[in-house]
Amino acid sequence: MPTSAAARLRELLARQDDIIVCPGVYDGLTARIALQQGFDCLYMTGAGTSLSRLGLPDLGLTTLPEMLANASTIASLSPSTPLIADADTGYGGPLMVARTVRACMSAGVAGLHLEDQVLAKRCGHLLNKELVPRDVYLSRIRAAVLARQEMRDLTGGVSDIVIIARTDALQGMGFDEAMGRLEDAVAVGADVVFMEGVAGKEMGRVVCERFRSKGVPVLLNMVPGGVTAEMTLEEAREVGFGVVVYPGLMLSAVYEACERVSGELKRTGRVEKIKGMGPKVLFELCGLDECLEFDKKAGGKGFDGGV
């Protein structure tokens, strides 16, 4: 039986001497680009989902249907490649969190993170975030763990998902409260911890040493220009982080390129051709040859003359 994406993610997390590098993707095309580059794991950014699907800022406006549809699309492109998805607050109380976890497991998501902001949340790199009390946060993590176990029981252990506990408490409540929340989350079943906005390498080292001694990997959210202190990948590895996600990687590149070419069209009435680029190149990136081969095997005749 092929290894599930969640099982593969657990294998990667168990490699204490290495670090998982996850480019932030937000749709099928950016996921295909990252897969072409050979990344072992992908990260579905919540901000990118909000910006691309709604055209709106990351202010808690996306709901489970939008996030799930996006995660399902991305996960389906390479079912053996783990996808870690932003699941925000879980979108409600314990029952809703359980529904979110079950749906993500059914969609093939390998890991998700749940946070401790109020339902009307905002991007972790904006100011004045409001948090729920610690017991409410823990009820979210506990609900996720229970839902995962129920799905495991129903599928005979085939279904699984890695639960990542995220806290945004550092900026408003301080380091001790943030650490306490993460330690409690691990105690109720979280697999990985994620402190938003780590202020520097020394703070990161304290967090990593505390949790790695318990066999719990730590995730670093690397957002250039955000509240997290910038670290190179080598620095993050040396500090002890087990996972680094880059949510804005594709977003920033796409914004820069699209602004440039649309501005060129507006100013000059023409667009310079990108060497070697045409519709077929993009179609091939997204599985054109595989589609044609499948159609042929099924007895289809529509593409006998080529495309």
Side-chain angles (χ1 to χ4, degrees), residues 6-23:
R8 176 59 179 153
L9 179 56
R10 290 187 184 278
E11 290 175 0
L12 294 172
L13 289 168
R15 299 188 311 189
Q16 294 288 321
D17 59 340
D18 208 349
I19 191 169
I20 304 172
V21 181
C22 304

mmCIF file of all heavy atoms in Angstrom, residues 6-23:
data_model
loop_
_atom_site.group_PDB
_atom_site.id
_atom_site.type_symbol
_atom_site.label_atom_id
_atom_site.label_comp_id
_atom_site.label_asym_id
_atom_site.label_seq_id
_atom_site.Cartn_x
_atom_site.Cartn_y
_atom_site.Cartn_z
ATOM 1 N N ALA A 6 0.211 11.946 5.032
ATOM 2 C CA ALA A 6 0.394 12.199 6.461
ATOM 3 C C ALA A 6 1.512 11.338 7.032
ATOM 4 O O ALA A 6 2.330 11.803 7.832
ATOM 5 C CB ALA A 6 -0.908 11.952 7.217
ATOM 6 N N ALA A 7 1.566 10.070 6.609
ATOM 7 C CA ALA A 7 2.641 9.191 7.062
ATOM 8 C C ALA A 7 3.989 9.695 6.571
ATOM 9 O O ALA A 7 4.996 9.648 7.302
ATOM 10 C CB ALA A 7 2.390 7.768 6.575
ATOM 11 N N ARG A 8 4.013 10.187 5.338
ATOM 12 C CA ARG A 8 5.254 10.741 4.801
ATOM 13 C C ARG A 8 5.678 11.977 5.597
ATOM 14 O O ARG A 8 6.876 12.154 5.893
ATOM 15 C CB ARG A 8 5.060 11.108 3.324
ATOM 16 C CG ARG A 8 6.250 11.783 2.666
ATOM 17 C CD ARG A 8 7.485 10.920 2.711
ATOM 18 N NE ARG A 8 8.613 11.582 2.061
ATOM 19 C CZ ARG A 8 9.880 11.362 2.364
ATOM 20 N NH1 ARG A 8 10.192 10.486 3.318
ATOM 21 N NH2 ARG A 8 10.840 11.990 1.725
ATOM 22 N N LEU A 9 4.717 12.815 5.975
ATOM 23 C CA LEU A 9 5.041 13.995 6.773
ATOM 24 C C LEU A 9 5.620 13.584 8.120
ATOM 25 O O LEU A 9 6.592 14.186 8.605
ATOM 26 C CB LEU A 9 3.803 14.868 6.956
ATOM 27 C CG LEU A 9 3.988 16.135 7.803
ATOM 28 C CD1 LEU A 9 5.109 17.015 7.257
ATOM 29 C CD2 LEU A 9 2.675 16.921 7.873
ATOM 30 N N ARG A 10 5.056 12.561 8.720
ATOM 31 C CA ARG A 10 5.583 12.089 10.004
ATOM 32 C C ARG A 10 7.011 11.554 9.845
ATOM 33 O O ARG A 10 7.864 11.753 10.720
ATOM 34 C CB ARG A 10 4.663 11.013 10.587
ATOM 35 C CG ARG A 10 3.317 11.570 11.060
ATOM 36 C CD ARG A 10 2.487 10.537 11.786
ATOM 37 N NE ARG A 10 1.189 11.083 12.141
ATOM 38 C CZ ARG A 10 0.964 11.847 13.204
ATOM 39 N NH1 ARG A 10 1.967 12.144 14.027
ATOM 40 N NH2 ARG A 10 -0.245 12.312 13.450
ATOM 41 N N GLU A 11 7.289 10.907 8.727
ATOM 42 C CA GLU A 11 8.655 10.433 8.463
ATOM 43 C C GLU A 11 9.620 11.609 8.362
ATOM 44 O O GLU A 11 10.730 11.571 8.909
ATOM 45 C CB GLU A 11 8.691 9.630 7.167
ATOM 46 C CG GLU A 11 7.991 8.277 7.237
ATOM 47 C CD GLU A 11 7.963 7.587 5.880
ATOM 48 O OE1 GLU A 11 8.490 8.182 4.900
ATOM 49 O OE2 GLU A 11 7.412 6.478 5.792
ATOM 50 N N LEU A 12 9.199 12.644 7.659
ATOM 51 C CA LEU A 12 10.055 13.823 7.508
ATOM 52 C C LEU A 12 10.277 14.514 8.852
ATOM 53 O O LEU A 12 11.391 14.958 9.157
ATOM 54 C CB LEU A 12 9.423 14.807 6.516
ATOM 55 C CG LEU A 12 9.319 14.342 5.060
ATOM 56 C CD1 LEU A 12 8.497 15.330 4.249
ATOM 57 C CD2 LEU A 12 10.707 14.175 4.445
ATOM 58 N N LEU A 13 9.240 14.597 9.663
ATOM 59 C CA LEU A 13 9.354 15.246 10.967
ATOM 60 C C LEU A 13 10.271 14.468 11.904
ATOM 61 O O LEU A 13 10.894 15.048 12.796
ATOM 62 C CB LEU A 13 7.980 15.382 11.613
ATOM 63 C CG LEU A 13 7.036 16.412 10.981
ATOM 64 C CD1 LEU A 13 5.625 16.243 11.529
ATOM 65 C CD2 LEU A 13 7.533 17.829 11.228
ATOM 66 N N ALA A 14 10.363 13.170 11.705
ATOM 67 C CA ALA A 14 11.180 12.325 12.582
ATOM 68 C C ALA A 14 12.666 12.453 12.297
ATOM 69 O O ALA A 14 13.491 11.998 13.097
ATOM 70 C CB ALA A 14 10.748 10.864 12.440
ATOM 71 N N ARG A 15 13.025 13.092 11.195
ATOM 72 C CA ARG A 15 14.450 13.242 10.856
ATOM 73 C C ARG A 15 15.029 14.412 11.647
ATOM 74 O O ARG A 15 14.974 15.557 11.223
ATOM 75 C CB ARG A 15 14.622 13.480 9.353
ATOM 76 C CG ARG A 15 14.098 12.353 8.490
ATOM 77 C CD ARG A 15 14.452 12.541 7.028
ATOM 78 N NE ARG A 15 14.131 13.875 6.553
ATOM 79 C CZ ARG A 15 14.188 14.244 5.272
ATOM 80 N NH1 ARG A 15 14.569 13.376 4.350
ATOM 81 N NH2 ARG A 15 13.883 15.467 4.902
ATOM 82 N N GLN A 16 15.558 14.133 12.801
ATOM 83 C CA GLN A 16 16.042 15.173 13.713
ATOM 84 C C GLN A 16 17.196 15.985 13.133
ATOM 85 O O GLN A 16 17.420 17.120 13.542
ATOM 86 C CB GLN A 16 16.482 14.528 15.029
ATOM 87 C CG GLN A 16 15.353 13.909 15.831
ATOM 88 C CD GLN A 16 14.443 14.943 16.468
ATOM 89 O OE1 GLN A 16 14.913 15.963 16.943
ATOM 90 N NE2 GLN A 16 13.154 14.677 16.479
ATOM 91 N N ASP A 17 17.940 15.409 12.190
ATOM 92 C CA ASP A 17 19.116 16.093 11.661
ATOM 93 C C ASP A 17 18.818 16.918 10.422
ATOM 94 O O ASP A 17 19.728 17.417 9.766
ATOM 95 C CB ASP A 17 20.203 15.069 11.327
ATOM 96 C CG ASP A 17 19.730 14.043 10.297
ATOM 97 O OD1 ASP A 17 18.506 13.884 10.138
ATOM 98 O OD2 ASP A 17 20.594 13.396 9.673
ATOM 99 N N ASP A 18 17.542 17.081 10.079
ATOM 100 C CA ASP A 18 17.186 17.807 8.867
ATOM 101 C C ASP A 18 16.035 18.759 9.149
ATOM 102 O O ASP A 18 15.485 18.793 10.248
ATOM 103 C CB ASP A 18 16.815 16.841 7.746
ATOM 104 C CG ASP A 18 17.099 17.426 6.364
ATOM 105 O OD1 ASP A 18 17.376 18.640 6.279
ATOM 106 O OD2 ASP A 18 17.036 16.679 5.381
ATOM 107 N N ILE A 19 15.682 19.541 8.151
ATOM 108 C CA ILE A 19 14.612 20.524 8.292
ATOM 109 C C ILE A 19 13.704 20.430 7.069
ATOM 110 O O ILE A 19 14.186 20.215 5.948
ATOM 111 C CB ILE A 19 15.218 21.942 8.450
ATOM 112 C CG1 ILE A 19 14.166 22.967 8.874
ATOM 113 C CG2 ILE A 19 15.930 22.383 7.185
ATOM 114 C CD1 ILE A 19 14.762 24.297 9.305
ATOM 115 N N ILE A 20 12.406 20.541 7.270
ATOM 116 C CA ILE A 20 11.434 20.485 6.179
ATOM 117 C C ILE A 20 11.212 21.904 5.659
ATOM 118 O O ILE A 20 10.851 22.800 6.421
ATOM 119 C CB ILE A 20 10.093 19.895 6.653
ATOM 120 C CG1 ILE A 20 10.303 18.509 7.276
ATOM 121 C CG2 ILE A 20 9.111 19.801 5.494
ATOM 122 C CD1 ILE A 20 9.046 17.952 7.926
ATOM 123 N N VAL A 21 11.421 22.093 4.378
ATOM 124 C CA VAL A 21 11.269 23.410 3.748
ATOM 125 C C VAL A 21 9.989 23.406 2.925
ATOM 126 O O VAL A 21 9.852 22.604 1.995
ATOM 127 C CB VAL A 21 12.476 23.734 2.849
ATOM 128 C CG1 VAL A 21 12.313 25.117 2.224
ATOM 129 C CG2 VAL A 21 13.768 23.649 3.643
ATOM 130 N N CYS A 22 9.049 24.287 3.265
ATOM 131 C CA CYS A 22 7.734 24.297 2.616
ATOM 132 C C CYS A 22 7.473 25.633 1.927
ATOM 133 O O CYS A 22 7.262 26.652 2.601
ATOM 134 C CB CYS A 22 6.626 24.060 3.636
ATOM 135 S SG CYS A 22 6.791 22.562 4.606
ATOM 136 N N PRO A 23 7.480 25.666 0.594
ATOM 137 C CA PRO A 23 7.101 26.893 -0.095
ATOM 138 C C PRO A 23 5.607 27.143 0.066
ATOM 139 O O PRO A 23 4.801 26.211 0.041
ATOM 140 C CB PRO A 23 7.460 26.602 -1.557
ATOM 141 C CG PRO A 23 7.328 25.116 -1.668
ATOM 142 C CD PRO A 23 7.752 24.556 -0.335
#
